[in-house]
């Protein structure tokens, strides 16, 4: 009876602890560890489709978003410190799958800004560049999406 009680107590302690570790990535994109450059003279706000997720470095992840027209956006990706500057971001048109942006062509820069004229579905593909030994480790990745009204000319 005492052994069963000890096992129950042990499980009661371990189960919530393991659940909490899975939640640590939930708001990673809102932390200071997920820095995205924002021009000082602009008022950008976090877009409601920004999010964080656990990613396996051996598999690219696609995150689908819809960006509304008539806005300026900054899209950025971030990962835990070990993977800083080791993130490939490719953005595709969500309708015809045409490649619109690849940060490989820009030395893997983490963020960039652009304007959306009309409402547009996009697919953001993230691939972590990693050593073979890290292939099975889950990594927290944040998708920062910021928006602002366009600058009036």
């Amino acid at each position: 009876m005492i052994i069963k009680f000890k096992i129950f107590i042990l499980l009661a302690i371990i189960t919530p602890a393991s659940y909490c570790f899975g939640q640590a990535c939930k708001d990673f994109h809102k932390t200071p560890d997920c820095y995205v450059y924002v021009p000082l003279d602009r008022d950008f706000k976090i877009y409601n489709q920004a999010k964080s997720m656990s990613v396996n470095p051996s598999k690219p992840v696609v995150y689908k978003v819809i960006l509304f027209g008539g806005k300026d956006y900054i899209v950025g990706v971030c990962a835990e410190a070990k993977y800083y500057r080791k993130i490939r971001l490719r953005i595709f048109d969500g309708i015809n799958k045409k490649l619109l942006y690849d940060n490989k062509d820009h030395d893997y820069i983490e963020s960039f800004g652009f304007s959306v004229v009309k409402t547009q579905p996009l697919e953001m593909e993230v691939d972590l560049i990693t050593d073979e030994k890290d292939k099975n480790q889950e990594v927290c990745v944040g998708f920062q999406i910021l928006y602002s009204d366009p600058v009036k000319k």
Side-chain angles (χ1 to χ4, degrees), residues 54-61 83 86 125-139 141:
S54 289
V55 173
N56 187 320
S58 63
K59 301 175 193 158
V61 171
Y83 293 90
K86 294 183 176 184
E125 179 186 87
V126 168
D127 194 8
L128 297 177
I129 301 165
T130 184
D131 299 331
E132 282 297 317
K133 63 183 178 183
D134 294 331
K135 289 278 188 191
N136 295 320
Q137 176 183 345
E138 290 286 315
V139 177
V141 171

Side-chain angles (χ1 to χ4, degrees), residues 51-95:
K51 76 178 284 186
S52 299
M53 64 178 68
S54 289
V55 173
N56 187 320
S58 63
K59 301 175 193 158
V61 171
V62 176
Y63 178 51
K64 297 179 182 187
V65 297
I66 295 176
L67 300 182
F68 292 98
K71 300 284 183 193
D72 290 341
Y73 291 90
I74 297 175
V75 171
V77 290
C78 56
E80 296 173 57
K82 181 178 179 180
Y83 293 90
Y84 175 73
R85 300 286 287 179
K86 294 183 176 184
I87 307 169
R88 183 174 185 189
L89 171 65
R90 298 191 316 164
I91 299 179
F92 296 90
D93 182 305
I95 297 170

Side-chain angles (χ1 to χ4, degrees), residues 8-129:
F8 174 75
I9 295 296
L10 184 63
L11 287 175
I13 293 170
I14 291 173
T15 302
S18 64
Y19 178 75
C20 291
F21 284 117
Q23 297 297 313
C25 187
K26 183 178 180 219
D27 289 329
F28 180 71
H29 66 281
K30 295 178 181 177
T31 68
D33 293 333
C34 192
Y35 175 77
V36 173
Y37 171 76
V38 178
L40 294 176
D41 61 341
R42 299 288 304 273
D43 184 29
F44 279 87
K45 299 175 189 88
I46 193 155
Y47 190 52
N48 66 353
Q49 292 186 48
K51 76 178 284 186
S52 299
M53 64 178 68
S54 289
V55 173
N56 187 320
S58 63
K59 301 175 193 158
V61 171
V62 176
Y63 178 51
K64 297 179 182 187
V65 297
I66 295 176
L67 300 182
F68 292 98
K71 300 284 183 193
D72 290 341
Y73 291 90
I74 297 175
V75 171
V77 290
C78 56
E80 296 173 57
K82 181 178 179 180
Y83 293 90
Y84 175 73
R85 300 286 287 179
K86 294 183 176 184
I87 307 169
R88 183 174 185 189
L89 171 65
R90 298 191 316 164
I91 299 179
F92 296 90
D93 182 305
I95 297 170
N96 63 19
K97 310 302 183 209
K98 178 182 174 189
L99 179 65
L100 301 174
Y101 176 79
D102 189 343
N103 73 348
K104 180 180 178 184
D105 301 333
H106 304 279
D107 193 30
Y108 298 101
I109 192 165
E110 293 86 13
S111 63
F112 77 106
F114 57 96
S115 296
V116 174
V117 177
K118 64 178 187 166
T119 300
Q120 176 74 40
L122 298 177
E123 295 181 5
M124 297 190 294
E125 179 186 87
V126 168
D127 194 8
L128 297 177
I129 301 165

